[in-house]
Amino acid sequence: YNRIDNGEIAHDNLNNSVPRAILESFPDRPVYDDSGNWMVADNDGYMNPIALLYGIHQKRITNKFIGSAFVELKIANNLTFRSVFNGDLQSAKYDRYIDKGVSSPGLPTQQNAVVSLANETTWISESYLTYNRKFGVHTLDFMLGASWLKAIGDGMGVNVTGFPTDAFLTNQLQSATTINSVTSYAEQGTQNSFFGRINYNLKDKYLFTVTYRADGSSRFGKNNKYGSFPSGAFAWRLSEEPFMQSVKLFTNLKARVSYGITGNQTFANYMSLQRLGNTISFLGNRRVPGIANVQMANPALKWEKTQQFDAGIDFSILNDRLSFVIDYYSKRTHDLLLSSPIPSTNGFSTM
């Protein structure tokens, strides 16, 4: 468990920080005016550094809990089952209150309060079998497994201005005269994976590796939830061959080649679905909130895949005093995930 209570030094929306304001404000200007309010700086928009330091109250509190539990069973000689469960729970709160009279081009002209809350919970479960065996000049190990992940998040934010007093800071938001914005959200995403790996070693000279993953994500279209990601690699320790024993230059010499496919799902949840969102209309002089379609469905949305081929040689000389790596690789990505423009006659400009 970890808790961080961080009182932040403020800056305005133009990134006028306290050190910068100290350097660029006139040193002969008083901190307060004749009425006892903060003196407003007027030199190119840089504000009173003391007002920036003491008139803006910012705090960020984060609570985080990380837990893990596992069970391991030895089913037979060389065969082991292991199951791991992980939990990550995090909550964060951000407060900012700007006192009356604190002013700069990057800040509201009257008291302003901002409060935001966010909660994130992630559960991960992994289970896998491992097998290891050495017989003669052969070494074999394999792994088969499956994993499940669920991530849940929610939050809200409030931005209000105009208070009768600065005494309550952000603890009496209902006394504000103007509500600038109120937002909230909730989302969740899931992943499911099946994976396997085989390693084979012959005479400690010929090394083979084959892996396979089938990853599923709730972020993709209904017919493209899963993607397949195989890979393979081979390495040859030339320095272990009899014909290389007479070559004294190389302490170690290994050639290797590999090929694999990886996937990418780095984008927001629900991008494959038709979504509804809030909209504002006006009837006469009256502001009317409503609900409208804000995103077109894309059931064809699928995994971005990257294919990579790699070949290289590793060698060392002078009893491993100098080591060298020579590499060649070719990398190609297709089915790129990006926001693409579409004809606006559909009612939307991007997908």
Side-chain angles (χ1 to χ4, degrees), residues 217 219-225 267-268 270-273 295 297-304 335-338 351:
S217 172
R219 296 182 177 182
F220 295 102
K222 61 181 180 180
N223 298 322
N224 297 292
K225 298 294 186 185
F267 62 96
Y270 312 127
M271 297 302 290
S272 67
L273 303 177
Q295 178 178 287
N298 183 8
L301 188 63
K302 60 183 179 179
W303 286 86
E304 175 183 300
D335 297 326
L336 285 170
L337 295 172
L338 51 84
M351 174 182 283

PDB file of all heavy atoms in Angstrom, residues 217 219-225 267-268 270-273 295 297-304 335-338 351:
ATOM      1  N   SER A 217      -8.975  -8.904 -27.124  1.00  0.00           N
ATOM      2  CA  SER A 217      -9.207  -7.636 -26.447  1.00  0.00           C
ATOM      3  C   SER A 217     -10.616  -7.137 -26.747  1.00  0.00           C
ATOM      4  O   SER A 217     -11.090  -7.224 -27.884  1.00  0.00           O
ATOM      5  CB  SER A 217      -8.186  -6.585 -26.895  1.00  0.00           C
ATOM      6  OG  SER A 217      -8.505  -5.304 -26.386  1.00  0.00           O
ATOM      7  N   ARG A 219     -11.466  -4.207 -26.994  1.00  0.00           N
ATOM      8  CA  ARG A 219     -11.418  -2.939 -27.718  1.00  0.00           C
ATOM      9  C   ARG A 219     -11.711  -3.087 -29.204  1.00  0.00           C
ATOM     10  O   ARG A 219     -12.032  -2.101 -29.875  1.00  0.00           O
ATOM     11  CB  ARG A 219     -10.051  -2.290 -27.528  1.00  0.00           C
ATOM     12  CG  ARG A 219      -9.763  -1.900 -26.097  1.00  0.00           C
ATOM     13  CD  ARG A 219      -8.421  -1.222 -25.960  1.00  0.00           C
ATOM     14  NE  ARG A 219      -8.195  -0.790 -24.581  1.00  0.00           N
ATOM     15  CZ  ARG A 219      -7.119  -0.139 -24.167  1.00  0.00           C
ATOM     16  NH1 ARG A 219      -6.148   0.139 -25.026  1.00  0.00           N
ATOM     17  NH2 ARG A 219      -6.992   0.220 -22.906  1.00  0.00           N
ATOM     18  N   PHE A 220     -11.590  -4.312 -29.740  1.00  0.00           N
ATOM     19  CA  PHE A 220     -11.734  -4.482 -31.181  1.00  0.00           C
ATOM     20  C   PHE A 220     -13.155  -4.859 -31.568  1.00  0.00           C
ATOM     21  O   PHE A 220     -13.995  -5.162 -30.722  1.00  0.00           O
ATOM     22  CB  PHE A 220     -10.733  -5.522 -31.671  1.00  0.00           C
ATOM     23  CG  PHE A 220      -9.307  -5.092 -31.501  1.00  0.00           C
ATOM     24  CD1 PHE A 220      -8.546  -5.589 -30.464  1.00  0.00           C
ATOM     25  CD2 PHE A 220      -8.742  -4.169 -32.357  1.00  0.00           C
ATOM     26  CE1 PHE A 220      -7.233  -5.170 -30.285  1.00  0.00           C
ATOM     27  CE2 PHE A 220      -7.438  -3.740 -32.195  1.00  0.00           C
ATOM     28  CZ  PHE A 220      -6.683  -4.244 -31.154  1.00  0.00           C
ATOM     29  N   GLY A 221     -13.409  -4.860 -32.895  1.00  0.00           N
ATOM     30  CA  GLY A 221     -14.719  -5.200 -33.418  1.00  0.00           C
ATOM     31  C   GLY A 221     -15.123  -6.615 -33.069  1.00  0.00           C
ATOM     32  O   GLY A 221     -14.286  -7.472 -32.781  1.00  0.00           O
ATOM     33  N   LYS A 222     -16.423  -6.873 -33.131  1.00  0.00           N
ATOM     34  CA  LYS A 222     -16.949  -8.145 -32.643  1.00  0.00           C
ATOM     35  C   LYS A 222     -16.402  -9.346 -33.400  1.00  0.00           C
ATOM     36  O   LYS A 222     -16.365 -10.450 -32.857  1.00  0.00           O
ATOM     37  CB  LYS A 222     -18.472  -8.132 -32.715  1.00  0.00           C
ATOM     38  CG  LYS A 222     -19.032  -7.959 -34.124  1.00  0.00           C
ATOM     39  CD  LYS A 222     -20.560  -7.930 -34.095  1.00  0.00           C
ATOM     40  CE  LYS A 222     -21.143  -7.768 -35.500  1.00  0.00           C
ATOM     41  NZ  LYS A 222     -22.622  -7.745 -35.473  1.00  0.00           N
ATOM     42  N   ASN A 223     -15.958  -9.171 -34.645  1.00  0.00           N
ATOM     43  CA  ASN A 223     -15.426 -10.288 -35.421  1.00  0.00           C
ATOM     44  C   ASN A 223     -13.900 -10.323 -35.432  1.00  0.00           C
ATOM     45  O   ASN A 223     -13.304 -11.157 -36.127  1.00  0.00           O
ATOM     46  CB  ASN A 223     -15.937 -10.218 -36.863  1.00  0.00           C
ATOM     47  CG  ASN A 223     -17.447 -10.323 -36.934  1.00  0.00           C
ATOM     48  OD1 ASN A 223     -18.069 -11.078 -36.185  1.00  0.00           O
ATOM     49  ND2 ASN A 223     -18.046  -9.552 -37.838  1.00  0.00           N
ATOM     50  N   ASN A 224     -13.272  -9.418 -34.686  1.00  0.00           N
ATOM     51  CA  ASN A 224     -11.804  -9.329 -34.714  1.00  0.00           C
ATOM     52  C   ASN A 224     -11.209  -9.200 -33.322  1.00  0.00           C
ATOM     53  O   ASN A 224     -10.189  -8.536 -33.126  1.00  0.00           O
ATOM     54  CB  ASN A 224     -11.361  -8.126 -35.564  1.00  0.00           C
ATOM     55  CG  ASN A 224     -11.773  -8.253 -37.006  1.00  0.00           C
ATOM     56  OD1 ASN A 224     -11.284  -9.100 -37.735  1.00  0.00           O
ATOM     57  ND2 ASN A 224     -12.712  -7.411 -37.423  1.00  0.00           N
ATOM     58  N   LYS A 225     -11.851  -9.805 -32.340  1.00  0.00           N
ATOM     59  CA  LYS A 225     -11.367  -9.681 -30.960  1.00  0.00           C
ATOM     60  C   LYS A 225      -9.972 -10.268 -30.780  1.00  0.00           C
ATOM     61  O   LYS A 225      -9.156  -9.748 -30.018  1.00  0.00           O
ATOM     62  CB  LYS A 225     -12.333 -10.376 -30.005  1.00  0.00           C
ATOM     63  CG  LYS A 225     -13.750  -9.797 -29.979  1.00  0.00           C
ATOM     64  CD  LYS A 225     -13.781  -8.410 -29.420  1.00  0.00           C
ATOM     65  CE  LYS A 225     -15.216  -7.921 -29.260  1.00  0.00           C
ATOM     66  NZ  LYS A 225     -15.279  -6.513 -28.820  1.00  0.00           N
ATOM     67  N   PHE A 267      -5.130   2.148 -27.770  1.00  0.00           N
ATOM     68  CA  PHE A 267      -6.113   3.194 -28.036  1.00  0.00           C
ATOM     69  C   PHE A 267      -7.213   3.052 -26.997  1.00  0.00           C
ATOM     70  O   PHE A 267      -7.228   2.105 -26.200  1.00  0.00           O
ATOM     71  CB  PHE A 267      -6.660   3.104 -29.476  1.00  0.00           C
ATOM     72  CG  PHE A 267      -7.378   1.824 -29.790  1.00  0.00           C
ATOM     73  CD1 PHE A 267      -8.753   1.738 -29.694  1.00  0.00           C
ATOM     74  CD2 PHE A 267      -6.673   0.705 -30.194  1.00  0.00           C
ATOM     75  CE1 PHE A 267      -9.416   0.565 -29.993  1.00  0.00           C
ATOM     76  CE2 PHE A 267      -7.326  -0.479 -30.502  1.00  0.00           C
ATOM     77  CZ  PHE A 267      -8.703  -0.551 -30.390  1.00  0.00           C
ATOM     78  N   ALA A 268      -8.135   3.988 -26.982  1.00  0.00           N
ATOM     79  CA  ALA A 268      -9.134   4.046 -25.925  1.00  0.00           C
ATOM     80  C   ALA A 268     -10.165   2.933 -26.070  1.00  0.00           C
ATOM     81  O   ALA A 268     -10.356   2.357 -27.146  1.00  0.00           O
ATOM     82  CB  ALA A 268      -9.828   5.407 -25.931  1.00  0.00           C
ATOM     83  N   TYR A 270     -13.886   1.252 -26.355  1.00  0.00           N
ATOM     84  CA  TYR A 270     -15.156   1.516 -27.040  1.00  0.00           C
ATOM     85  C   TYR A 270     -15.019   2.185 -28.403  1.00  0.00           C
ATOM     86  O   TYR A 270     -16.004   2.661 -28.954  1.00  0.00           O
ATOM     87  CB  TYR A 270     -16.086   2.382 -26.164  1.00  0.00           C
ATOM     88  CG  TYR A 270     -16.218   1.908 -24.745  1.00  0.00           C
ATOM     89  CD1 TYR A 270     -15.990   2.768 -23.670  1.00  0.00           C
ATOM     90  CD2 TYR A 270     -16.580   0.595 -24.462  1.00  0.00           C
ATOM     91  CE1 TYR A 270     -16.113   2.329 -22.354  1.00  0.00           C
ATOM     92  CE2 TYR A 270     -16.693   0.155 -23.151  1.00  0.00           C
ATOM     93  CZ  TYR A 270     -16.464   1.025 -22.113  1.00  0.00           C
ATOM     94  OH  TYR A 270     -16.574   0.596 -20.812  1.00  0.00           O
ATOM     95  N   MET A 271     -13.811   2.196 -28.981  1.00  0.00           N
ATOM     96  CA  MET A 271     -13.651   2.854 -30.277  1.00  0.00           C
ATOM     97  C   MET A 271     -14.273   2.058 -31.420  1.00  0.00           C
ATOM     98  O   MET A 271     -14.463   2.591 -32.516  1.00  0.00           O
ATOM     99  CB  MET A 271     -12.173   3.091 -30.567  1.00  0.00           C
ATOM    100  CG  MET A 271     -11.484   4.024 -29.576  1.00  0.00           C
ATOM    101  SD  MET A 271     -12.245   5.651 -29.490  1.00  0.00           S
ATOM    102  CE  MET A 271     -11.802   6.327 -31.077  1.00  0.00           C
ATOM    103  N   SER A 272     -14.614   0.792 -31.211  1.00  0.00           N
ATOM    104  CA  SER A 272     -15.253  -0.002 -32.260  1.00  0.00           C
ATOM    105  C   SER A 272     -16.775   0.074 -32.186  1.00  0.00           C
ATOM    106  O   SER A 272     -17.457  -0.475 -33.047  1.00  0.00           O
ATOM    107  CB  SER A 272     -14.813  -1.464 -32.145  1.00  0.00           C
ATOM    108  OG  SER A 272     -15.315  -2.048 -30.951  1.00  0.00           O
ATOM    109  N   LEU A 273     -17.303   0.742 -31.176  1.00  0.00           N
ATOM    110  CA  LEU A 273     -18.742   0.752 -30.931  1.00  0.00           C
ATOM    111  C   LEU A 273     -19.380   2.087 -31.302  1.00  0.00           C
ATOM    112  O   LEU A 273     -18.717   3.130 -31.281  1.00  0.00           O
ATOM    113  CB  LEU A 273     -19.025   0.468 -29.449  1.00  0.00           C
ATOM    114  CG  LEU A 273     -18.457  -0.835 -28.881  1.00  0.00           C
ATOM    115  CD1 LEU A 273     -18.767  -0.920 -27.395  1.00  0.00           C
ATOM    116  CD2 LEU A 273     -19.003  -2.041 -29.628  1.00  0.00           C
ATOM    117  N   GLN A 295     -20.250   8.839 -32.128  1.00  0.00           N
ATOM    118  CA  GLN A 295     -19.227   8.008 -32.757  1.00  0.00           C
ATOM    119  C   GLN A 295     -19.881   6.922 -33.604  1.00  0.00           C
ATOM    120  O   GLN A 295     -20.831   6.267 -33.172  1.00  0.00           O
ATOM    121  CB  GLN A 295     -18.330   7.362 -31.698  1.00  0.00           C
ATOM    122  CG  GLN A 295     -17.257   6.430 -32.254  1.00  0.00           C
ATOM    123  CD  GLN A 295     -16.375   5.864 -31.177  1.00  0.00           C
ATOM    124  OE1 GLN A 295     -15.532   6.565 -30.621  1.00  0.00           O
ATOM    125  NE2 GLN A 295     -16.555   4.592 -30.861  1.00  0.00           N
ATOM    126  N   ALA A 297     -20.003   3.265 -35.383  1.00  0.00           N
ATOM    127  CA  ALA A 297     -19.493   1.930 -35.081  1.00  0.00           C
ATOM    128  C   ALA A 297     -18.501   1.483 -36.154  1.00  0.00           C
ATOM    129  O   ALA A 297     -18.627   1.822 -37.325  1.00  0.00           O
ATOM    130  CB  ALA A 297     -20.642   0.941 -34.976  1.00  0.00           C
ATOM    131  N   ASN A 298     -17.503   0.714 -35.746  1.00  0.00           N
ATOM    132  CA  ASN A 298     -16.509   0.157 -36.675  1.00  0.00           C
ATOM    133  C   ASN A 298     -16.248  -1.300 -36.295  1.00  0.00           C
ATOM    134  O   ASN A 298     -15.254  -1.623 -35.645  1.00  0.00           O
ATOM    135  CB  ASN A 298     -15.216   0.968 -36.624  1.00  0.00           C
ATOM    136  CG  ASN A 298     -14.187   0.476 -37.621  1.00  0.00           C
ATOM    137  OD1 ASN A 298     -14.472  -0.377 -38.458  1.00  0.00           O
ATOM    138  ND2 ASN A 298     -12.965   0.999 -37.525  1.00  0.00           N
ATOM    139  N   PRO A 299     -17.132  -2.223 -36.687  1.00  0.00           N
ATOM    140  CA  PRO A 299     -16.961  -3.627 -36.316  1.00  0.00           C
ATOM    141  C   PRO A 299     -15.751  -4.287 -36.957  1.00  0.00           C
ATOM    142  O   PRO A 299     -15.344  -5.376 -36.540  1.00  0.00           O
ATOM    143  CB  PRO A 299     -18.268  -4.278 -36.792  1.00  0.00           C
ATOM    144  CG  PRO A 299     -18.761  -3.384 -37.880  1.00  0.00           C
ATOM    145  CD  PRO A 299     -18.358  -1.997 -37.483  1.00  0.00           C
ATOM    146  N   ALA A 300     -15.138  -3.643 -37.964  1.00  0.00           N
ATOM    147  CA  ALA A 300     -13.972  -4.214 -38.634  1.00  0.00           C
ATOM    148  C   ALA A 300     -12.657  -3.848 -37.940  1.00  0.00           C
ATOM    149  O   ALA A 300     -11.587  -4.283 -38.384  1.00  0.00           O
ATOM    150  CB  ALA A 300     -13.928  -3.747 -40.088  1.00  0.00           C
ATOM    151  N   LEU A 301     -12.718  -3.057 -36.891  1.00  0.00           N
ATOM    152  CA  LEU A 301     -11.493  -2.634 -36.197  1.00  0.00           C
ATOM    153  C   LEU A 301     -10.748  -3.860 -35.667  1.00  0.00           C
ATOM    154  O   LEU A 301     -11.328  -4.705 -34.984  1.00  0.00           O
ATOM    155  CB  LEU A 301     -11.852  -1.704 -35.036  1.00  0.00           C
ATOM    156  CG  LEU A 301     -10.693  -1.021 -34.313  1.00  0.00           C
ATOM    157  CD1 LEU A 301      -9.937  -0.103 -35.261  1.00  0.00           C
ATOM    158  CD2 LEU A 301     -11.208  -0.239 -33.111  1.00  0.00           C
ATOM    159  N   LYS A 302      -9.453  -3.983 -35.998  1.00  0.00           N
ATOM    160  CA  LYS A 302      -8.685  -5.166 -35.621  1.00  0.00           C
ATOM    161  C   LYS A 302      -7.271  -4.802 -35.182  1.00  0.00           C
ATOM    162  O   LYS A 302      -6.866  -3.633 -35.250  1.00  0.00           O
ATOM    163  CB  LYS A 302      -8.630  -6.151 -36.779  1.00  0.00           C
ATOM    164  CG  LYS A 302      -7.992  -5.621 -38.047  1.00  0.00           C
ATOM    165  CD  LYS A 302      -8.065  -6.663 -39.160  1.00  0.00           C
ATOM    166  CE  LYS A 302      -7.460  -6.158 -40.449  1.00  0.00           C
ATOM    167  NZ  LYS A 302      -7.522  -7.186 -41.529  1.00  0.00           N
ATOM    168  N   TRP A 303      -6.548  -5.823 -34.745  1.00  0.00           N
ATOM    169  CA  TRP A 303      -5.209  -5.638 -34.195  1.00  0.00           C
ATOM    170  C   TRP A 303      -4.261  -5.021 -35.228  1.00  0.00           C
ATOM    171  O   TRP A 303      -4.255  -5.402 -36.399  1.00  0.00           O
ATOM    172  CB  TRP A 303      -4.622  -6.972 -33.761  1.00  0.00           C
ATOM    173  CG  TRP A 303      -5.191  -7.535 -32.503  1.00  0.00           C
ATOM    174  CD1 TRP A 303      -6.314  -8.307 -32.377  1.00  0.00           C
ATOM    175  CD2 TRP A 303      -4.654  -7.379 -31.184  1.00  0.00           C
ATOM    176  NE1 TRP A 303      -6.516  -8.638 -31.056  1.00  0.00           N
ATOM    177  CE2 TRP A 303      -5.505  -8.084 -30.302  1.00  0.00           C
ATOM    178  CE3 TRP A 303      -3.551  -6.723 -30.665  1.00  0.00           C
ATOM    179  CZ2 TRP A 303      -5.280  -8.142 -28.935  1.00  0.00           C
ATOM    180  CZ3 TRP A 303      -3.327  -6.778 -29.297  1.00  0.00           C
ATOM    181  CH2 TRP A 303      -4.186  -7.470 -28.449  1.00  0.00           C
ATOM    182  N   GLU A 304      -3.454  -4.079 -34.766  1.00  0.00           N
ATOM    183  CA  GLU A 304      -2.302  -3.636 -35.539  1.00  0.00           C
ATOM    184  C   GLU A 304      -1.190  -4.661 -35.360  1.00  0.00           C
ATOM    185  O   GLU A 304      -0.913  -5.092 -34.237  1.00  0.00           O
ATOM    186  CB  GLU A 304      -1.840  -2.264 -35.056  1.00  0.00           C
ATOM    187  CG  GLU A 304      -0.574  -1.746 -35.708  1.00  0.00           C
ATOM    188  CD  GLU A 304      -0.135  -0.409 -35.132  1.00  0.00           C
ATOM    189  OE1 GLU A 304      -0.921   0.550 -35.234  1.00  0.00           O
ATOM    190  OE2 GLU A 304       0.966  -0.341 -34.566  1.00  0.00           O
ATOM    191  N   ASP A 335      -2.095  -2.680 -40.931  1.00  0.00           N
ATOM    192  CA  ASP A 335      -3.339  -2.465 -40.196  1.00  0.00           C
ATOM    193  C   ASP A 335      -3.133  -1.441 -39.081  1.00  0.00           C
ATOM    194  O   ASP A 335      -3.517  -1.651 -37.927  1.00  0.00           O
ATOM    195  CB  ASP A 335      -3.882  -3.772 -39.616  1.00  0.00           C
ATOM    196  CG  ASP A 335      -4.241  -4.783 -40.681  1.00  0.00           C
ATOM    197  OD1 ASP A 335      -4.692  -4.350 -41.753  1.00  0.00           O
ATOM    198  OD2 ASP A 335      -4.069  -5.997 -40.445  1.00  0.00           O
ATOM    199  N   LEU A 336      -2.512  -0.315 -39.455  1.00  0.00           N
ATOM    200  CA  LEU A 336      -2.200   0.726 -38.477  1.00  0.00           C
ATOM    201  C   LEU A 336      -3.464   1.242 -37.794  1.00  0.00           C
ATOM    202  O   LEU A 336      -4.495   1.447 -38.436  1.00  0.00           O
ATOM    203  CB  LEU A 336      -1.490   1.897 -39.153  1.00  0.00           C
ATOM    204  CG  LEU A 336      -0.026   1.693 -39.541  1.00  0.00           C
ATOM    205  CD1 LEU A 336       0.435   2.845 -40.417  1.00  0.00           C
ATOM    206  CD2 LEU A 336       0.847   1.594 -38.312  1.00  0.00           C
ATOM    207  N   LEU A 337      -3.352   1.465 -36.487  1.00  0.00           N
ATOM    208  CA  LEU A 337      -4.448   2.042 -35.715  1.00  0.00           C
ATOM    209  C   LEU A 337      -4.298   3.561 -35.718  1.00  0.00           C
ATOM    210  O   LEU A 337      -3.359   4.110 -35.141  1.00  0.00           O
ATOM    211  CB  LEU A 337      -4.422   1.511 -34.279  1.00  0.00           C
ATOM    212  CG  LEU A 337      -4.675   0.014 -34.129  1.00  0.00           C
ATOM    213  CD1 LEU A 337      -4.428  -0.427 -32.692  1.00  0.00           C
ATOM    214  CD2 LEU A 337      -6.101  -0.337 -34.550  1.00  0.00           C
ATOM    215  N   LEU A 338      -5.203   4.235 -36.383  1.00  0.00           N
ATOM    216  CA  LEU A 338      -5.165   5.696 -36.430  1.00  0.00           C
ATOM    217  C   LEU A 338      -6.554   6.221 -36.731  1.00  0.00           C
ATOM    218  O   LEU A 338      -7.432   5.495 -37.198  1.00  0.00           O
ATOM    219  CB  LEU A 338      -4.151   6.193 -37.466  1.00  0.00           C
ATOM    220  CG  LEU A 338      -4.230   5.630 -38.887  1.00  0.00           C
ATOM    221  CD1 LEU A 338      -5.259   6.383 -39.724  1.00  0.00           C
ATOM    222  CD2 LEU A 338      -2.879   5.710 -39.557  1.00  0.00           C
ATOM    223  N   MET A 351     -12.927   8.314 -38.314  1.00  0.00           N
ATOM    224  CA  MET A 351     -13.241   6.999 -37.784  1.00  0.00           C
ATOM    225  C   MET A 351     -11.946   6.333 -37.347  1.00  0.00           C
ATOM    226  O   MET A 351     -10.971   6.390 -38.051  1.00  0.00           O
ATOM    227  CB  MET A 351     -13.955   6.130 -38.810  1.00  0.00           C
ATOM    228  CG  MET A 351     -14.188   4.691 -38.370  1.00  0.00           C
ATOM    229  SD  MET A 351     -14.988   3.655 -39.610  1.00  0.00           S
ATOM    230  CE  MET A 351     -16.672   4.231 -39.435  1.00  0.00           C
TER     231      MET A 351
END
